Amino acid sequence: MNLTTIKGIIDRRVLINYRVDPAVLLQLLPAPFRPQLIDGHGIAGICLIRLKSLHPRWLPALPGLSSENAAHRVAVEWEQAGQHRQGVYIPRRDTNSRLAVAVGGRLFPGVHHHARFDVDETDDKISISLQSDDRLVQVAVVGHIAAGLPADSIFASLEQASAFFEAGSIGYSATTERGRFDGLELRCRGWRVEALEIESLRSSFFDNANQFPPGTAKLDCALLMRNIRHEWHGEPELCCAVSTQVASQARLV
């Protein structure tokens, strides 16, 4: 997929991060991906992002356009063209944009599912909930700005966490064809994050004991980004022979 560079503004981005037993993650990941480890743990989570002013780089921005989006993500590494690479695997994308649903997997990488989002936020507190039209995905989170990460986070500092997620700028999304993945790189201008303390959290993905037996997925930390200019750049399509490592996508939501 040859993607024209897309520019815009990340109006708000929440990264909810779990530390996960890597053996459990490996069962959910299709080849060629494997969990990227931090202190022996895998990292997976949910990105809740509001985008505005999206437009091809060669066209002016259209004011007033925005969309709420969610991506379930796993930090991964893999080999590609003889090189070791790191980024995220995205088994599921949800959005309130009918346009994104229509062009996802065609003009824009990744299949998108339509969902309803309810958002209430102030300068220091955020409440976001979503439910997909197919009722496979539900998320509800409430959090507020914090001075730092939780004491039990696997990241030693906010700076370490920020650097880890900034480095994972390349994402490969599941498509309708098993073994084929759409690639996308996020390039931010002036990357900066704040710590977000989670007050309450429900996730149909991570709360599913059939996917994550008790104790195998624990909330680690959450980060907040606001008002970040960015660009989306297409990455070469990644194709891989289907192997026994591939799990049904239905298990991922």
Side-chain angles (χ1 to χ4, degrees), residues 214-235:
T216 61
K218 298 180 180 180
L219 178 64
D220 184 86
C221 65
L223 305 176
L224 173 65
M225 302 174 67
R226 281 176 168 158
N227 196 30
I228 305 292
R229 293 191 176 275
H230 73 288
E231 294 183 351
W232 299 103
H233 293 256
E235 282 284 310

Side-chain angles (χ1 to χ4, degrees), residues 14-251:
V14 174
L15 293 174
I16 302 169
N17 309 303
Y18 290 76
R19 54 184 182 271
V20 185
D21 183 332
V24 173
L25 279 182
L26 189 62
Q27 296 302 310
L28 299 177
L29 289 172
F33 305 111
R34 58 186 182 273
Q36 182 181 358
L37 302 184
I38 297 291
D39 195 24
H41 297 276
I43 300 292
I46 310 165
C47 171
L48 300 169
I49 186 169
R50 181 168 60 234
L51 301 171
K52 68 178 186 180
S53 303
L54 287 183
H55 61 284
R57 185 166 55 183
W58 44 270
L59 285 178
L62 296 176
L65 292 180
S66 67
S67 64
E68 291 284 351
N69 308 272
H72 286 73
R73 311 154 23 108
V74 181
V76 294
E77 55 187 17
W78 69 98
E79 311 304 320
Q80 187 174 3
Q83 294 186 336
H84 178 77
R85 305 194 72 186
Q86 295 179 335
V88 294
Y89 169 65
I90 304 167
R92 172 89 180 200
R93 291 185 181 272
D94 292 273
T95 180
N96 69 353
S97 169
R98 295 287 184 183
L99 177 62
V101 172
V103 303
R106 299 176 179 87
L107 301 180
F108 195 81
V111 175
H112 290 63
H113 303 266
H114 190 264
R116 175 183 174 181
F117 288 72
D118 291 306
V119 180
D120 184 14
E121 57 188 294
T122 64
D123 288 344
D124 59 1
K125 189 166 184 174
I126 291 178
S127 173
I128 303 172
S129 63
L130 73 95
Q131 179 168 288
S132 62
D133 291 0
D134 60 15
R135 298 189 177 275
L136 292 177
V137 171
Q138 299 90 36
V139 176
V141 60
V142 178
H144 61 267
I145 298 295
L149 301 182
D152 63 347
S153 172
I154 60 175
F155 297 103
S157 65
L158 179 61
E159 291 74 22
Q160 184 190 19
S162 175
F164 176 84
F165 291 104
E166 184 177 13
S169 60
I170 295 174
Y172 274 94
S173 299
T175 69
T176 56
E177 181 182 340
R178 293 177 67 185
R180 183 176 66 82
F181 309 99
D182 287 342
L184 194 63
E185 181 187 8
L186 172 63
R187 299 181 187 177
C188 293
R189 298 182 181 180
W191 175 280
R192 58 187 180 278
V193 302
E194 299 175 87
L196 191 69
E197 182 175 334
I198 299 299
E199 300 176 20
S200 64
L201 174 62
R202 289 186 291 108
S203 164
S204 58
F205 181 49
F206 291 101
D207 296 343
N208 184 345
N210 292 324
Q211 293 181 151
F212 300 99
T216 61
K218 298 180 180 180
L219 178 64
D220 184 86
C221 65
L223 305 176
L224 173 65
M225 302 174 67
R226 281 176 168 158
N227 196 30
I228 305 292
R229 293 191 176 275
H230 73 288
E231 294 183 351
W232 299 103
H233 293 256
E235 282 284 310
E237 183 180 81
L238 181 60
C239 295
C240 183
V242 177
S243 74
T244 56
Q245 183 185 353
V246 176
S248 168
Q249 187 177 340
R251 295 178 58 194

